[in-house]
Amino acid sequence: MQKLLIKGKRKLSGKISISGSKNATLPILAASILAEQVKLSNVPLVKDIFTMTDLLKFIGLKVKVEKKKNLIELTNYKKKINTLAPYKLVKTMRAGVLVLGSILTKYKKAKVSLPGGCAIGTRPVDLHLFALKKLGAKIKIKDGYILADAKKGLKGTKIRFPSISVGATENAILAAFNAKGETILSNCAIEPEIQDLITFLNKLGGKIKIFGRKIIIKRQRFLRKNINHRIIFDRIEAGTYLVAGILAGGKIKINDVKPRILKCEIDILKKMGAKIKIGKSSIEVKKNKVLKKLNISTKPYPGFPTDLQAQLMVLMTQAEGLSKIKENIFENRFMHVPELKRMGAKIEIKNKTAFIFGPTKLTGAEVMATDLRASVSLVLAGLVAENRTILNRIYHLDRGYESLENKLKNCKAKIKRY
Ligand code: EPZ
């Protein structure tokens, strides 16, 4: 298995171009089942995207990837497709469950593997199924599969989510797309990735509007046959490199971003004392001598994202005093803590809250990645630690970060894969 070797204490400086968002691409790929001809640009070439395109090919779509241009073309002229999403393709990438809504609303039946849990939590899909049942689907769970049926088609209705879920909101939007009449979803997740999915579906001819946490979907008779769409930038990748710049800059400038979408993250980094320069589509940060402690809680957008919790924790190990992070979204998202402690971090966990004491000198160690964002937090720690850090199981990293080591090498980091 491949590893990453990171030499610490190197001053980073340079420019980083942010890739397209993995978490916007995945639901939009699922939505491509509803179209005939789709061209997606600014697609991040990361493992999860290829797992999803493998699933779409298995279902029956034609998929062409132009790696050099970060382009994916999908075509689906089929009146009938394979409505099965098998365990082998859903288990490694739980967003595969998002094809459920698309297949059901267009082909009236679907058999999709339950995605199962992962390192950060059990990751149930009860809220997804709750919404589909409200739209009139008959749902059965058998042998680890979701059997969904809607012989007469789905019917629009009012649905209030008992709790906020990104995936359940996405699946409900996809299922409601062809449901008769109007569907009003409330207490929805409204992440920028969901807004990008809605932009894509409206290009397809949909009529979907967001009002606060309410999303209204009106079925449209005529859909466009083919559409082009440029995937929104990856705000989590952007936030990750902002932390890298504050930890180990010189000066890091990230490009191809929409700063207003990162408002919460920028405010929090400024509260910790970071010097941040905002451009039209760029953000510049540099290392700060003194970082201030801070208490934060992870929340659904527009709050502080759980996907940046591990990265911010590394920054807090260098802040003066006791910082706190309350993880409200996932039940087991502190897997990076034991590894950071092996590098010298002073962190204690109590009731879903991490207490981080700083500043502490980190020293390089051999560490293990456990999930996508935990793995990148260990890269950040390696950048600021004394000596060398070896990161194992970097397949976790490859699921969601495009050309990470090249982007960091271009900013003078000493990092190599072997
Ligand atoms: C999406 O996961 C993202 N993945 C996650 O990013 C992200 O951390 C998460 O949203 C929260 O922002 C993709 O977009 C592919 P949820 P999702 O449904 O949709 C519970 C990354 O690192 N829940 O908003 O699975 C759930 O257990 C990944 O890129 C139910 O109880 O997240 C969790 O505690 C990691 N029942 C909470 O809701 C359900 O039916 C939020 O989960 C669904 C979710």
Side-chain angles (χ1 to χ4, degrees), residues 22-24 26-27 48 93-95 98 118 120-129 163-168 170 189 191 193 235-236 299-301 305-307 328-331 333 371-373:
K22 159 181 86 81
N23 290 351
L26 292 169
D48 275 6
M93 206 271 311
R94 52 183 325 283
L98 293 175
C118 70
I120 62 176
T122 51
R123 313 292 295 271
V125 289
D126 55 309
L127 296 173
H128 299 235
L129 304 183
S163 61
I164 293 174
S165 157
V166 170
E170 291 167 341
E191 270 61 5
E193 296 75 36
R235 63 192 167 101
I236 306 301
K299 295 191 181 80
Y301 188 85
T306 175
D307 291 352
N328 292 313
I329 307 293
F330 289 108
E331 64 264 35
R333 201 165 198 177
D371 59 85
L372 171 56
R373 308 302 173 181

Side-chain angles (χ1 to χ4, degrees), residues 253-270:
K253 182 175 187 180
I254 61 167
N255 293 315
D256 310 321
V257 294
K258 289 192 179 121
R260 67 174 167 75
I261 286 181
L262 287 157
K263 184 181 173 328
C264 174
E265 293 85 340
I266 291 168
D267 290 349
I268 279 179
L269 293 172
K270 279 183 175 170

